[in-house]
Amino acid sequence: SAATQATSVVVLDRGNNTTCTINLHGATVVSWRVNNQEQLFVSKLASFDGKKAIRGGIPFVFPQFGPWSFGPQHGFARVTRWSLEKPPERMHNGDVEAIFSLMDNEFTRSMWNYQFRITYRLILREKELHFHIGVYNPSKDLSFTFNMLLHTYLKVPDVRRCQITGLRGCTFIDKTREGAIYQEGREIVTIGEWTDRIYQHTPQEHVITNVVSGRKMRLHKYNFPDTVIWNPWIDQAREMSDFGDDEFPNMLCVESGHVSSPVILLPGTSFEASQILQIIIEGNVNRK
Ligand code: BG6
């Protein structure tokens, strides 16, 4: 119903038409507007039925990346309803913070029989969005392993004109070639075909050019050793029921993850990781 839909969405509003919208279904960031300009891609065919993963924005991938024998592809976190731990709150500097959480429940234990607690803290700044994740293992005796990834769909005018820095020298698993492993030789990576790569041991920072308004986006990550680059291109796009055939030029997934090796979490310990997305405004160094 409309009422259920409405209560499923949490908005961080920083003023100046700068907002971030989170759908509790998967704690999926479904919109990030900076001065009214949308930064994230969401497919026009995305499903918001509270069952399927939302096609676009920033789905939260946990505890599995990719196909999973015990549950859905990319794990259950993106298809589970999260709780709003702390409603949006304006801080003294004007930034807005909200905290979301997910704990094990009957549904998660049916696939993955572990106790866990995730806190997901989002901070909306003027030109930045910060993501801080904590995973806690409350068990007294059981360890568990997991993958985690922020599946960021950037909105771009034309993916063929985007450039991604920071990948040179990194090895990558090419999922379009049965998982063959290569080493990246390019200083600047461009996308001109179906691309599905797990770059390993990537540096903390990537810059992506030609995002909305021809601007640059800086992605900064901590405790996420991998960077996944994905664009389905035309044929794979046709295979997806919740993605328009003509939409692939307008998105680029650059995903911070801990996926090519698992995180091992011992009893009573926690794991933390974070990401910052920052719009780089060039050509105006004067501050008012
Ligand atoms: C990417 C994977 O992260 O997500 C791709 O590397 C996958 O292999 C893509 O196709 C989309 O996955 P899904 O489950 O949202 O269709």
Side-chain angles (χ1 to χ4, degrees), residues 2 4-5 8 10 13 19 22 56 62 86 102 123 129 163 177 182 193 218 242 250 261 263 279:
T4 323
Q5 278 283 86
S8 294
V10 175
D13 187 346
T19 57
I22 295 95
F62 173 92
K86 182 178 169 245
L102 180 65
I123 300 168
L129 189 54
Q163 304 176 323
R177 294 167 198 248
Y182 302 91
E193 61 185 336
R218 178 179 290 131
D242 58 350
N250 302 122
S261 67
V263 178
I279 296 167

Side-chain angles (χ1 to χ4, degrees), residues 53-56 59 61 65-67 72-74 78 149 151 153 175 194-198 228-232 236 240 242 253 255:
I54 297 168
R55 175 67 66 201
V61 172
F65 174 71
Q73 152 130 325
H74 290 342
R78 66 175 183 163
L149 171 135
H151 202 300
Y153 287 76
K175 296 219 245 169
W194 174 33
T195 303
D196 191 356
R197 298 176 168 192
I198 304 172
V228 176
I229 308 288
W230 179 62
N231 183 292
Q236 303 291 318
M240 290 187 279
D242 58 350
C253 282
E255 312 160 22

Side-chain angles (χ1 to χ4, degrees), residues 235-280:
D235 293 338
Q236 303 291 318
R238 287 204 179 106
E239 305 274 298
M240 290 187 279
S241 59
D242 58 350
F243 189 98
D245 293 354
D246 56 350
E247 290 185 306
F248 76 90
N250 302 122
M251 58 75 80
L252 172 60
C253 282
V254 182
E255 312 160 22
S256 300
H258 202 307
V259 294
S260 74
S261 67
V263 178
I264 303 167
L265 202 58
L266 301 177
T269 67
S270 32
F271 169 82
E272 289 180 2
S274 40
Q275 167 177 282
I276 298 171
L277 294 176
Q278 178 192 36
I279 296 167
I280 305 174

